[in-house]
Amino acid sequence: MAELTDASIPKFAPGCRWGGTTEAPVVLFPEGAIRVEGTGRIILELCDGHFSLAEIVQKLETQFILAPKGKIRADVLVFLEQLHAKRIVDY
Amino acid sequence: MAQCSNPLALIAEITHRCPLHCVYCSNPLELTSRQEELATGDWLRVFDEAAALGVLHLHLTGGEPLARPDLTELIEGARRARLYTNLITSGIGLSRERLTQLVGAGLDHIQLSFQDTSEGQANWIAGTRAHAHKVELAGWIREHRIAFTVNLVVHRQNIDHLDAMIRALEALRPDRMEIAHAQYYGWALQNRPALLPTRAQLDDAVAVVRAAEERLRGQVRIDMVVPDYHARYPKACMGGWGRQLLLIDPAGRALPCHAAGVIPGLRFDNVRERALGWIWQSSEAFQKFRGEEWMAEPCRSCDRRKEDFGGCRCQAFLLTGDARATDPVCELAPLHHLIEDAVRVDAVTGLAPAAREAPFHVLQENMAGFWSYRTDPK
């Protein structure tokens, strides 16, 4: 599996995109859909091909100033690696 | 009335016409003719109604959906309705230019079927020369940013070289691979003696797929469908009757699954006459086996009933003659011996006729008695 580093630029894999409604968005992919809420949604909205992992983590750290040091990066890594194994996110 | 969730996916069999004659085709034995097919406008209305019901995914299939000249228009309409649109195709008849048009119309995902990865063998199973074009088409698909699935149907005539087939298919750089063991309905049920693998072959195949999943993690997602004849418990067919999926056949009849037409006495309402929402919620066919009311023992008091919904109603009918019976795949089913007998009689390795290229009518004649090819609609 490809390694996710600070320089990686995570984005939707081919054929994966937003769907549903603004109030209840879902990520659509072949044969499935996942509802994403809260932080998951914020992370995925940053996976538009414009930001590196380091930039995404930095943006989240600005937004969640009370999170313990390093926790946000660790959480983002786990989240994106899971979606990568399902071929929903590439980096 | 059993409580009713909203459907998540619509399978649109837009035509039964197909240039291939695959011996395990899941279409019914009675095929719909071109004259009976729904018009473009009917399909577009159905897509809008489906989206309003909560459907997220549309699977355009057939037959060969490319046989419909209005396919681009159908995809545009589906995208307008905000459906995630998947084209399930053999690829025959798809030029590079037409592919670009379909993608431009909003296609999200293309699923290309393979019969084998050695050309002679693939053409033998499909009853036509199709393989070389599919390989070329795979290259064109990768020029576009859409999801690409390769689908391989596995059975006793190709299962022993599954590892080599997976390696050949991964060279086509798909995002996803479906390793789908033949399911025994329609044409596959007729040809079961030539197709059903042995238990040992299945175990080897599962190990091959597990190893491929490890090797390709993050690169190709692999989904496997196993043949339920070797399982202890039945599959949750279609995620339960009338719970998640609906299928519209080429003539507009709405069915809870591909094979439901075999169940006698069921009336399938047509989207030409009825709104899709009414069909889903209130029509007799969709309510017939929804929920648990219809269940007999041992299902009725079984803990697994919420997981597998008693298994497949069509398989229960095809094998026991009673659509309400527990799916005989289940080891708890009173008629489970029907599956054991089928495995004992049919899942036997033996010499197959050598794969060879010939015009379809010659192949049909040469293979008579071994298997029968899917024929064309009248």
Side-chain angles (χ1 to χ4, degrees):
Chain A
M1 206 157 93
E3 205 192 334
L4 181 55
T5 66
D6 278 334
S8 307
I9 299 179
K11 55 182 179 300
F12 279 137
C16 302
R17 64 177 172 86
W18 289 104
T21 58
T22 323
E23 303 78 55
V26 290
V27 174
L28 297 169
F29 54 93
E31 311 292 328
I34 41 172
R35 280 193 197 291
V36 280
E37 297 162 327
T39 326
R41 179 176 176 182
I42 300 171
I43 297 172
L44 277 177
E45 282 174 345
L46 292 169
C47 293
D48 60 359
H50 288 100
F51 305 107
S52 67
L53 176 72
E55 288 165 329
I56 292 172
V57 170
Q58 195 188 20
K59 281 174 188 288
L60 288 165
E61 280 172 345
T62 322
Q63 200 167 345
F64 300 99
I65 44 171
L66 295 177
K69 187 87 188 134
K71 178 157 191 330
I72 286 180
R73 188 175 189 280
D75 288 353
V76 172
L77 274 179
V78 171
F79 181 69
L80 291 179
E81 280 169 353
Q82 280 171 355
L83 292 179
H84 182 58
K86 292 187 172 140
R87 295 295 282 109
I88 295 170
V89 166
D90 275 348
Y91 39 76
Chain B
M1 196 194 295
Q3 218 189 349
C4 158
S5 47
N6 66 284
L8 296 174
L10 170 65
I11 301 164
E13 271 180 3
I14 56 178
T15 181
H16 276 160
R17 289 172 285 144
C18 186
L20 269 60
H21 305 282
C22 302
V23 291
Y24 43 70
C25 181
S26 65
N27 284 157
L29 299 175
E30 295 247 353
L31 296 162
T32 303
S33 70
R34 179 182 201 148
Q35 291 74 31
E36 297 170 88
E37 288 178 9
L38 279 188
T40 314
D42 290 326
W43 280 117
L44 296 179
R45 177 176 52 78
V46 166
F47 298 163
D48 288 339
E49 290 180 355
L53 276 179
V55 167
L56 297 172
H57 285 75
L58 170 68
H59 303 281
L60 293 167
T61 182
E64 174 48 69
L66 293 165
R68 293 272 307 213
D70 57 354
L71 185 57
T72 306
E73 226 176 306
L74 296 179
I75 292 171
E76 275 167 0
R79 268 310 281 266
R80 263 199 311 275
R82 300 175 53 82
L83 295 171
Y84 184 95
T85 308
N86 175 24
L87 178 68
I88 300 174
T89 179
S90 70
I92 303 308
L94 188 51
S95 65
R96 201 172 186 169
E97 292 69 31
R98 192 170 182 206
L99 172 66
T100 303
Q101 265 182 24
L102 301 181
V103 174
L107 187 66
D108 288 293
H109 175 206
I110 190 165
Q111 183 176 316
L112 183 61
S113 67
F114 283 84
Q115 284 68 44
D116 201 297
T117 51
S118 94
E119 183 164 3
Q121 179 92 4
N123 294 345
W124 172 57
I125 294 166
T128 191
R129 300 186 65 165
H131 183 72
H133 174 71
K134 290 165 186 270
V135 173
E136 187 177 30
L137 175 58
W140 299 338
I141 292 171
R142 281 285 73 154
E143 293 170 2
H144 298 279
R145 235 190 115 69
I146 58 170
F148 176 30
T149 292
V150 291
N151 170 288
L152 177 69
V153 178
V154 179
H155 45 76
R156 206 170 71 238
Q157 304 306 325
N158 64 9
I159 196 168
D160 289 329
H161 55 280
L162 180 57
D163 188 52
M165 291 194 291
I166 290 176
R167 286 173 194 274
L169 291 176
E170 82 194 50
L172 305 176
R173 298 188 298 126
D175 300 299
R176 189 170 160 271
M177 236 185 245
E178 258 184 28
I179 308 295
H181 284 260
Q183 302 291 307
Y184 296 99
Y185 303 92
W187 303 84
L189 181 60
Q190 278 203 329
N191 291 323
R192 196 178 66 191
L195 298 175
L196 189 63
T198 66
R199 178 70 207 221
Q201 284 178 315
L202 175 64
D203 290 344
D204 288 349
V206 170
V208 162
V209 171
R210 294 279 173 256
E213 276 172 347
E214 275 309 305
R215 185 162 47 84
L216 298 171
R217 190 172 302 278
Q219 192 183 331
V220 184
R221 173 173 169 175
I222 302 185
D223 289 321
M224 175 167 55
V225 181
V226 294
D228 53 359
Y229 277 55
H230 290 294
R232 287 179 65 189
Y233 300 114
K235 58 181 179 275
C237 198
M238 306 303 274
W241 185 278
R243 285 185 85 250
Q244 297 180 356
L245 293 119
L246 74 162
L247 177 144
I248 313 279
D249 81 1
R253 297 188 315 158
L255 287 77
C257 80
H258 298 83
V262 299
I263 298 177
L266 267 193
R267 181 194 140 83
F268 299 103
D269 284 279
N270 196 301
V271 295
R272 286 181 166 120
E273 287 132 28
R274 289 288 195 166
L276 199 63
W278 181 87
I279 291 176
W280 175 258
Q281 282 142 14
S282 310
S283 73
E284 180 203 326
F286 278 82
Q287 290 192 71
K288 184 84 179 174
F289 302 109
R290 190 178 264 157
E292 297 173 1
E293 291 300 301
W294 60 272
M295 285 182 185
E297 291 295 355
C299 295
R300 190 177 262 279
S301 60
C302 181
D303 287 346
R304 297 185 53 86
R305 71 184 187 282
K306 292 188 190 310
E307 270 171 69
D308 61 29
F309 313 100
C312 173
R313 294 306 86 220
C314 309
Q315 182 150 279
F317 171 74
L318 287 167
L319 299 185
T320 75
D322 176 8
R324 308 180 92 88
T326 297
D327 187 333
V329 158
C330 185
E331 62 179 17
L332 305 170
L335 295 171
H336 180 58
H337 67 89
L338 293 171
I339 289 285
E340 292 174 318
D341 292 346
V343 168
R344 195 170 48 244
V345 175
D346 289 353
V348 179
T349 47
L351 278 185
R356 67 197 120 158
E357 300 261 352
F360 180 56
H361 68 277
V362 178
L363 264 182
Q364 232 179 347
E365 203 171 298
N366 290 349
M367 293 301 142
F370 181 68
W371 61 26
S372 42
Y373 287 99
R374 177 209 201 261
T375 49
D376 296 318
K378 285 180 202 82

